[in-house]
């Protein structure tokens, strides 16, 4: 789903996979943490984001349960938060940095 930002916002591309589809594919998506957190699923989505970045660079990617609009690239100023409840794909000079959720 594409979300067009206003004058003081940016454009977003929300990509999601319904949990029913994950069930059918046999993909584990919940490991007991709140909001269907799964390192396996997060890493898979980070791979999708990385492949997307190679064709269509972006300023920030966020990975997790309902993360659209939770932060922006300007707020992060090129740095990953130390404690991360969500995953981040953050462009750096040497390439795309993936900071997995760690709390």
């Amino acid at each position: 789903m594409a979300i067009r930002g206003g004058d003081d916002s940016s454009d977003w591309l929300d990509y999601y996979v319904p949990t029913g589809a994950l069930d059918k594919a046999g993909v584990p998506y919940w490991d007991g943490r709140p909001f269907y957190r799964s390192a396996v699923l997060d890493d898979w989505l980070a791979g999708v984001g990385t492949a997307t970045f190679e064709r269509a660079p972006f300023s920030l990617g966020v990975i997790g349960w309902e993360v659209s609009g939770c932060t922006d690239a300007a707020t992060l100023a090129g740095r990953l938060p130390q404690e991360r409840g969500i995953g981040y794909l953050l462009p750096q000079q040497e390439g795309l940095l993936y900071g997995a959720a760690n709390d």
Side-chain angles (χ1 to χ4, degrees), residues 50-68:
T50 299
T52 301
F53 184 79
E54 292 172 4
R55 306 282 314 260
F58 48 80
S59 59
L60 174 65
V62 289
I63 299 169
W65 185 263
E66 298 197 4
V67 295
S68 181

Side-chain angles (χ1 to χ4, degrees), residues 11-35:
D11 297 338
W12 287 77
L13 177 62
D14 280 7
Y15 174 81
Y16 61 92
V17 180
T19 55
L22 296 172
D23 287 335
K24 189 170 184 151
V27 176
Y29 60 87
W30 188 60
D31 60 8
R33 291 184 281 177
F35 306 111

Side-chain angles (χ1 to χ4, degrees), residues 32-93:
R33 291 184 281 177
F35 306 111
Y36 298 102
R37 294 308 316 247
S38 167
V40 171
L41 185 56
D42 285 1
D43 291 349
W44 182 77
L45 289 170
V48 170
T50 299
T52 301
F53 184 79
E54 292 172 4
R55 306 282 314 260
F58 48 80
S59 59
L60 174 65
V62 289
I63 299 169
W65 185 263
E66 298 197 4
V67 295
S68 181
C70 65
T71 190
D72 57 44
T75 300
L76 294 175
R79 294 183 302 276
L80 290 173
Q82 292 292 330
E83 295 180 15
R84 298 180 296 276
I86 63 174
Y88 295 86
L89 293 171
L90 192 59
Q92 304 285 296
Q93 216 168 17

